[in-house]
């Protein structure tokens, strides 16, 4: 188990209120498709932000353990964390359109995402960006590069966010509710995309969702309920032999 | 529209700059046999109660008002932006301190502070100096309003998903601030500027009551506009009979209107 | 000219129509009278109410400004000025019909002098006369003072006679209070027992009633006057006056110069934290005279007051007929003469700039109370007038408290433009201005000993007039004071505002006077014509 990518036994509370996460215990292996399933507001996004080091320091207090590779994320200095963020750990947020800067074109987004981690190779952004667009199944012609977020569909905006997330070949990609903004056809397409990215890039994917069925593509799924993992295992096991009442409720609820 | 506004502003500025050529005395000469006269070929906008050329006063007043009021507004907005952004970015004691300073500034009895200040400035300070002091003061004291708005704007922008996404890509705070926050706050700052400039223009006229500001015999749009008060008291009919008194108001509306049209706007999705 | 002769002939030959009896005179007061007790009246509405409802021994005729018998039919002062004897008019009656007696006089005098009452008139009489003794004997009453009083009879214009029975609402004036609705109005009814009769022997007053409406808003007051609801209005401003005039009605009357004056002065206080060079200018008589000569007073009156002001010659308005020094004339602006005066002191004038003997350009500031449009305009005009002799004047309007602070405490100012409201005719009322030791000696207050020979002379003259019993001696002394002030120009008097009133064409018998109550002073003889 020394080779685990993420190891967590995390408690988070905000401003002294009852914890949002309490001893959230899980491990994510390299190149694993890992699903974190739970209801909205159940602390899934808090866990994602903890992994990114973006919980507001003034009000959030973290305790327990949270490691990524050999880094202790709870004590990692801000500057070092910034080098991980967007390069080794990347993030595909929910609400794709709103997560793009309205003033910037597709090219400007990619260029900035490249420059943040490769300031010395400022002119080299184009080739890896086109490759990332290609991997995210987006067009690469100049006309597309000049579009602004307002001109993109939700699906395209999400793929652009994915393209930026794989630009630096991350070890872990966190996808926060990637299916919630999409219709059923696009949902399965984007899930297929994550699976192929894992296969081609060797990246681990943490898929955060409230939909147990979307997590069916994962190798392993953890069920988060009231801040703790109540059950985890291969999706087939959870579907057919749910142990916890909450998991049972999840399997029977189909949107 | 923007072209028309720019041309209008340019014309206004040119007229203001040529004031010293059109009206070399700055509209200060009293023609005591021509009191309160309606427009004529000699006085295109008539004369004031002391027999001074209203047109010349409008032009020379434009120099003061169109230059100094915007300058003071700019100063106030810049200060407000720096303080507001600092308070908005930081959480913890600095934010509390700045926020408290902001509240205090907004709540202070400025009237009495200005009185004290008047007492500190020598009475026979030359008019141009008192002018600069007045507008510098307006600029320095006017920061709290913009700071409050900017702080709220920063909070709102920082919570926006695209800023979170940007930070998740590893962007340093400085990059977030200069490349994203500032450009996105620009319409907000421009709005504050546009709101403050006319306010300062009028505030200058009211500071005259405290012996601060533009003193006799200099003309400013503020004290020209103040003359309108007495006409307004006499009722709307009086205004119809002496429409030329509205010239400074028209100047104010035209110049702020053009600025408004030229100001940056939010990108509409 | 022939028109005038014809008019005169008409007036002389045509028998005047007999005055009409009855009717209610309707006017407005700007505030509710504070008190119905005439002895404590200090505000204008209370004083008016006291004037209309109470009798006094002696009345100052507001037109001639001379004392006339009222409830006393005659009086006699002792040569040393330490006593006065009145004979009470047999016909004098209170509104309840009771006769006015010498006992009532002594009762009223004792009451007004009682320190606990806090009567303004009583307090100043006590201050001037010391102890007062009153001896009633039938219709005669003799009043003796510890200290001599000049023109002692004039004090009794301000002492209402109340019945010794203690009914302070009962008076011996032409009217008595019938109804008082606080905040709304007061109606007064004719006193049927009032002593005065007209030339034909008919009982006065002609009017049946007077109604005083409490009306704070002057614009509304003017509107009601124009509609004919009110019969008279006092203190018109130039704009209102011109408006009434423009309507063609003859109802607006200008009475000429009022007692009020507008003046500027230079700060001569040694304590002033201003440069010595400036102090030097301000203490130079020729400098002050030159400034005075450079100011175009007739322009101030014409431009700022639309002609409703009179250029001032000296401290006393021509409205104060008894005391004004008529030999003084308002200076005519003469920049050349002003420059000549300055050159004699070593000042130089070239390229539009006046420089003092040390080569310093002459610049100073003038403070005035901000928001007073007339003063701000006058200051701007003086600015241009002084520019003509090379002086740069800076106008600094200040809020009133700051201004008072500067002229009375810190003395941090160069010169000041302010007005003085004249109320007291007698020079004794202005002792606190003219004595060099006085607090209101604005240009250099509270001096331990007179700073200049001319101030020493004014001190002496003011004391002379205060002690003298002979009116001629007093007048000579005060004439000299006015001449010194006009010459030395410690106060540079600019203008006297004119007093303007509005009178309904229906109201007859009006003899407008500058002294309060301007239009009502002869109220027994006023009547309304239908």
């Amino acid at each position: 188990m020394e080779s685990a990518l993420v190891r967590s036994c995390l408690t988070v509370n905000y401003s002294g209120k009852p914890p949002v996460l309490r001893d959230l215990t899980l491990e994510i292996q390299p190149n694993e498709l890992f699903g974190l399933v739970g209801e909205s507001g159940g602390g899934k996004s808090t866990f994602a932000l903890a992994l990114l080091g973006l919980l507001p320091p003034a009000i959030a207090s973290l305790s327990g353990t949270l490691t990524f590779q050999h880094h202790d994320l709870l004590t990692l200095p801000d500057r070092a964390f910034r080098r991980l963020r967007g390069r080794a750990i990347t993030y595909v947020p929910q609400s794709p359109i709103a997560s793009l800067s309205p003033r910037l074109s597709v090219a400007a987004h990619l260029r900035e995402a490249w420059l943040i981690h490769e300031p010395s190779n400022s002119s080299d952004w184009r080739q890896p960006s086109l490759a990332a667009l290609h991997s995210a199944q987006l067009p690469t012609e100049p006309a597309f590069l000049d579009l602004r977020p307002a001109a993109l569909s939700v699906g395209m905006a999400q793929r652009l966010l994915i393209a930026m997330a794989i630009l630096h070949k991350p070890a872990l990609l966190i996808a926060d509710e990637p299916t919630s903004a999409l219709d059923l056809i696009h949902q399965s397409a984007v899930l297929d995309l994550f699976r192929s990215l894992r296969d081609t890039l060797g990246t681990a994917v943490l898929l955060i969702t409230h939909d147990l069925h979307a997590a069916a593509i994962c190798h392993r799924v953890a069920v988060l309920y009231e801040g703790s993992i109540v059950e985890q295992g291969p999706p087939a096991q959870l579907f057919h032999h749910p142990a916890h009442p909450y998991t049972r409720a999840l399997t029977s609820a189909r949107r | 529209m923007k072209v028309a506004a720019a041309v209008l502003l340019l014309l206004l500025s040119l007229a203001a700059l040529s004031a010293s050529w059109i009206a070399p005395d700055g509209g200060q000469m009293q023609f005591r046999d021509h009191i309160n006269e309606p427009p004529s070929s000699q006085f295109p906008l008539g004369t004031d109660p002391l027999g001074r050329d209203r047109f010349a006063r409008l032009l020379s007043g434009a120099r003061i008002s169109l230059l100094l009021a915007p300058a003071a507004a700019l100063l106030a907005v810049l200060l407000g932006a720096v303080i507001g952004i600092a308070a908005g970015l930081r959480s913890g004691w600095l934010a509390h301190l700045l926020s408290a300073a902001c509240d205090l500034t907004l709540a202070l009895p400025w009237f009495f502070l200005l009185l004290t200040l008047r007492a500190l400035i020598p009475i026979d300070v030359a008019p141009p100096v008192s002018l600069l002091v007045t507008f510098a003061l307006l600029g320095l004291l006017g920061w709290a309003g913009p700071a409050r708005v900017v702080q709220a704007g920063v909070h709102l922008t920082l919570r926006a998903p695209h800023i979170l996404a940007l930070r998740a890509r590893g962007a340093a705070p400085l990059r977030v601030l200069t490349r994203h926050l500032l450009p996105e706050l620009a319409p907000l700052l421009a709005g504050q500027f546009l709101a403050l400039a006319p306010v300062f223009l009028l505030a200058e006229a009211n500071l005259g009551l405290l012996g601060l500001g533009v003193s006799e015999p200099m003309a400013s749009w503020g004290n020209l506009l103040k003359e309108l008060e007495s006409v307004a008291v006499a009722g709307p009919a009086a205004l119809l009979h002496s429409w030329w008194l509205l010239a400074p108001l028209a100047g104010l509306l035209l110049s702020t209107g053009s600025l408004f049209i030229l100001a940056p706007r939010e990108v509409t999705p | 000219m022939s028109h005038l002769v014809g008019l005169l002939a008409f007036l002389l030959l045509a028998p005047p129509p007999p005055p009409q009896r009855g009717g209610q005179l309707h006017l407005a007061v700007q505030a509710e009278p504070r008190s119905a007790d005439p002895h404590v009246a200090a505000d204008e509405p209370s004083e008016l109410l006291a004037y209309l409802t109470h009798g006094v021994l002696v009345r100052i005729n507001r037109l001639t400004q001379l004392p006339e018998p009222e409830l006393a039919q005659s009086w006699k002062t002792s040569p040393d000025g330490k006593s006065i004897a009145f004979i009470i008019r047999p016909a004098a009656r209170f509104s309840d019909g009771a006769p006015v007696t010498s006992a009532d006089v002594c009762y009223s005098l004792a009451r007004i002098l009682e320190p606990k009452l806090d009567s303004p008139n009583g307090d100043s009489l006590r201050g001037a006369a010391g102890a007062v003794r009153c001896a009633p004997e039938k219709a005669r009453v003799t009043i003796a003072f510890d200290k001599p009083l000049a023109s002692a009879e004039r004090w009794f214009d301000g002492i209402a006679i109340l019945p010794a029975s203690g009914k302070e609402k009962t008076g011996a004036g032409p009217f008595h209070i019938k109804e008082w609705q606080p905040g709304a109005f007061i109606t007064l009814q004719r006193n049927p027992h009032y002593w005065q009769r007209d030339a034909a022997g008919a009982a006065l007053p002609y009017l049946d009633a007077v109604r005083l409406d409490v009306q704070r808003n002057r614009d509304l007051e003017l509107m009601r006057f124009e509609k004919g609801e009110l019969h008279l209005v006092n203190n018109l401003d130039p704009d209102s006056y011109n408006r009434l005039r423009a309507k063609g009605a003859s109802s607006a009357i200008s009475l000429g110069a009022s007692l009020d004056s507008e003046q500027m002065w230079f700060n001569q206080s040694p304590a002033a934290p201003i440069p010595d060079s400036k102090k030097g200018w301000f203490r130079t008589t020729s400098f002050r005279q030159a400034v005075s000569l450079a100011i175009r007073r007739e322009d101030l009156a014409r431009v700022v007051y639309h002609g409703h002001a009179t250029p001032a010659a000296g401290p006393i308005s021509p409205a104060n007929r008894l005391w004004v020094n008529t030999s003084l004339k308002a200076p005519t602006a003469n920049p050349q003469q002003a420059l000549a005066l300055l050159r004699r002191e070593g000042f130089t004038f070239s390229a539009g700039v006046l420089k003092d003997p040390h080569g310093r350009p002459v610049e100073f500031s003038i403070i005035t109370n901000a928001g007073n449009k007339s003063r701000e305009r006058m200051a701007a005009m003086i600015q241009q007038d002084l520019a003509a002799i090379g002086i740069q004047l800076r106008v600094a309007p200040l809020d009133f408290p700051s201004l008072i602070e500067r002229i009375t405490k810190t003395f941090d100012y160069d010169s000041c433009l302010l007005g003085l409201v004249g109320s007291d005719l007698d020079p004794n009322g202005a002792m606190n201005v003219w004595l060099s030791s006085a607090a209101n000696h604005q240009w250099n207050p509270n001096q331990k000993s007179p700073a200049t020979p001319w101030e020493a002379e004014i001190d002496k003259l003011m004391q002379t007039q205060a002690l003298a019993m002979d009116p001629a001696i007093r007048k000579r002394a005060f004439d000299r004071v006015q001449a010194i002030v006009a010459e030395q120009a410690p106060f540079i008097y600019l203008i006297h505002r004119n007093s303007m009133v509005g009178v309904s064409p229906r109201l007859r018998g009006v003899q407008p006077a500058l002294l309060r109550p301007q239009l009502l002073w002869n109220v027994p003889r006023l009547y309304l014509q239908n």
Side-chain angles (χ1 to χ4, degrees), chain C residues 29-45:
Chain C
V29 286
Q30 267 98 56
E32 176 106 23
R34 294 244 185 89
S35 168
D37 183 342
H39 287 170
V40 298
D43 52 305
E44 197 176 338

Side-chain angles (χ1 to χ4, degrees), chain B residues 148-209:
Chain B
R148 173 57 42 92
V149 174
V150 167
Q151 186 185 357
V154 169
H155 275 301
L156 209 69
T157 316
L158 278 187
R159 246 180 273 146
H162 70 273
I163 296 289
L164 181 72
L166 181 72
R167 293 171 65 207
R169 266 171 249 143
L174 190 66
R175 169 179 287 271
V176 176
L177 177 65
T178 55
R179 301 284 173 85
H180 294 265
L181 206 53
L182 279 181
E184 279 166 40
L185 288 174
L188 190 76
L189 296 176
Q192 286 293 301
F193 170 79
L194 281 176
L196 276 182
V199 168
F200 282 179
L201 209 146
L202 291 174
E204 170 263 304
N206 286 318
L207 282 179
L209 279 178

Side-chain angles (χ1 to χ4, degrees), chain C residues 270-293:
Chain C
I274 57 174
D276 285 341
S277 57
K278 280 185 177 174
K279 282 187 194 173
W281 308 335
F282 300 162
R283 283 183 202 158
T284 306
T285 302
S286 311
F287 180 84
R288 298 192 300 266
Q289 287 170 335
V291 167
S292 175
L293 264 176

